[in-house]
Amino acid sequence: MSRKKANEPPAGDPASPINPDLQRRRTGRLSPEAYAEGVLAGDRVLLSKAITLIESTLAADQALAGRVVDLCLPHRVPSRRIGISGAPGAGKSTFIEALGKVILSDGGNLAVLTIDPSSRITGGSILGDKTRMETLSLDERAFIRPSPAGDTLGGVARKTRETILLCEAAGYSDIIVETVGVGQSETTVQSMVDCFLLLLLPGAGDELQGIKRGIVEVADLVAVNKADGDGLTFARKAQAAYRNALHLFPPKTSGWTPEVLTCSALNNTGIGAIWQVITTFFDTVQTSGFMAENRREQTRFWFHDALDAGLRNLVKIHPKARERLPALEKEVLEGTRSPLGAAEEILGILGGGDLRI
Amino acid sequence: MSRKKANEPPAGDPASPINPDLQRRRTGRLSPEAYAEGVLAGDRVLLSKAITLIESTLAADQALAGRVVDLCLPHRVPSRRIGISGAPGAGKSTFIEALGKVILSDGGNLAVLTIDPSSRITGGSILGDKTRMETLSLDERAFIRPSPAGDTLGGVARKTRETILLCEAAGYSDIIVETVGVGQSETTVQSMVDCFLLLLLPGAGDELQGIKRGIVEVADLVAVNKADGDGLTFARKAQAAYRNALHLFPPKTSGWTPEVLTCSALNNTGIGAIWQVITTFFDTVQTSGFMAENRREQTRFWFHDALDAGLRNLVKIHPKARERLPALEKEVLEGTRSPLGAAEEILGILGGGDLRI
């Protein structure tokens, strides 16, 4: 847990409105009302602590987190939720740093959250993020929070969703959710953002090996990065190729036609144009009503996704079902038992559940 | 239920090996052993009746179906499971009829199953399929079975998976699963086939409006149909465009490089070449071991998917949970309750399930 604290400003941080009462209260667990009050006041230390509660595996913390989120919910500011994905090496951090500066100069408050279950392996993502987004992390209008370490993708996703809600209650009008672009995490991030930006390297095909198939088609905006120096020609070629490829795909349900742009996050060129496309995207989907409808569907999905995860847990906490599960799975994989029949046996142990109706 | 019977050959059908004993047994419900025996003997009438049990919503039928499937499981023949998807109007039925003839002349036995939950709206798919695949439906080496009417996609999928197993036990070495290509059904069909073929119309973009985004990228083989007469030039252009587009995407985990071919199902040209690519695909993934590994993962998925469906049903059959669900969902959608908190309340009613661990 001590690593989490690296993300919080030091106690004497002049950017954070601190009073002695709050400082005292920071030593232990506060009341749900105290956390909510701090979050709503934009206190980044209390926001960080509330997120740590969301990420905690302790039952008491979890109950507290639930109360805090419910108290904050009605006070959220309108927000733009932007997903940014790209293969390792595509320059995501530099890009987000550059885009973040544009967002801040445009009057926004920015929260950057990452979804990266693999960070539990390296264990170095927090320091990495701080180093990589140096300017942003020092700006008091920006809030950077990496994934909880040691978690599964589903677990990270459920926690990130609640973290988004808290950030909105804390007044962050722009939320960037960053994913590494190599696994199932894009489908997951799509269920929590309004706009999905894919950051690619110049060149066709080979460079994309890390990107999951199907991602290009779901992007609202493709940005070909590293359009600088010798890379410029390659980036332009990639832009043309992706424009042609995207043209082949059916229109998006949002009615939005995906755009392909080039940029150099390193040289800070093309970033303003990308932000302009993003704001045009939001104007379009807000006016058409698609964004509101999409968020409604996402919220419904969050609810049922959480419910599904909890229901799966019922099998794990039922002694007899938990004991029987591995043997049944083995029979299913060996082809001696039908998947449906095996599922029905587990459900029978739990006391119901008819699969064929 | 009377519509299901339209798919069975008439009692005097010379193509079906009928004996008086079997005929008498057809009047009522048989023992699981009798159904299994009939299926394993390749009796298409008993296979049809066993599938009807799988599709039935009666508890007695379901229990019987489960026993029949388990009895048949160990006796399945090795098979190729091929998914074929395409927008309405792409010519799927004519294509499957043409491909089916090639498969039969290649020594195969073919079962064609459809996944189309929308058929419950028109209610005409069964007659339609029979009319559309006239030659195939008259050949005793082919077995054509449309989706059960009045079912959801998840329900159809779970039943189609068991139907595949029964068809393999009945000796069908080639299984085609046809989907309409307009919704979530492709993701579903991908979880039950080895090879995924996308049938497209010539021309870029506009014609694909019915196809779900992301489908092109997951296809193992894209066939541009209607490459005949005036359509020939358009088909060639579409072929080149899709080849370029597919080149941009990352390699598939199977190691297989998707191919784009043209054909005319109407004029029966290009079908043999497509079947050759399909058999090459199977040679490749069988040799590499990918197919066996993929089937193992699919089987595991079938099991957990069925389990998830049954667990969701626990909420519906629990009086208090069922009663509380709509109000909670309303609060979640109105933004006055967090999705996670609402899910936890339902789980609490069911007696457990911790979401944040």
Side-chain angles (χ1 to χ4, degrees), chain A residues 17-68:
Chain A
I18 288 184
N19 64 52
D21 180 44
L22 271 184
Q23 212 155 21
R24 204 181 54 244
R25 284 153 66 192
R26 268 167 208 167
T27 51
R29 228 175 250 147
L30 309 180
S31 69
E33 289 74 17
Y35 283 110
E37 193 187 306
V39 169
L40 296 179
D43 182 319
R44 305 199 306 171
V45 175
L46 279 177
L47 173 60
S48 263
K49 284 193 176 289
I51 296 171
T52 301
L53 288 178
I54 288 175
E55 294 171 353
S56 168
T57 57
L58 297 175
D61 287 343
Q62 295 157 24
L64 192 50
R67 287 285 301 138
V68 175

Side-chain angles (χ1 to χ4, degrees), chain A residues 279-293:
Chain A
T279 54
T280 306
F281 170 87
F282 276 98
D283 286 346
T284 309
V285 294
Q286 278 166 346
T287 307
S288 71
F290 175 82
M291 182 169 148
E293 180 53 38

Side-chain angles (χ1 to χ4, degrees), chain A residues 325-336:
Chain A
L325 191 68
L328 275 175
E329 190 169 284
K330 189 161 171 279
E331 286 175 34
V332 166
L333 291 178
E334 283 167 355
T336 55

Side-chain angles (χ1 to χ4, degrees), chain B residues 9 15-17 38-48 51 75-82 103-104 107-113 136-137 139-145 163-176 194 295:
Chain B
S16 179
V39 168
L40 296 179
D43 182 320
R44 305 200 307 170
V45 174
L46 279 177
L47 173 60
S48 262
I51 295 172
H75 306 285
R76 289 172 293 149
V77 298
S79 73
R80 292 177 280 220
R81 300 173 186 160
I82 303 158
I103 292 173
L104 295 183
N109 295 299
L110 175 67
V112 181
L113 314 173
L136 269 190
S137 62
D139 195 305
E140 60 175 302
R141 296 165 298 169
F143 178 80
I144 300 174
R145 180 83 182 196
T163 301
I164 290 175
L165 301 176
L166 282 195
C167 288
E168 289 168 353
Y172 292 98
S173 56
D174 291 281
I175 317 277
I176 288 180
D194 310 306
R295 282 212 178 175

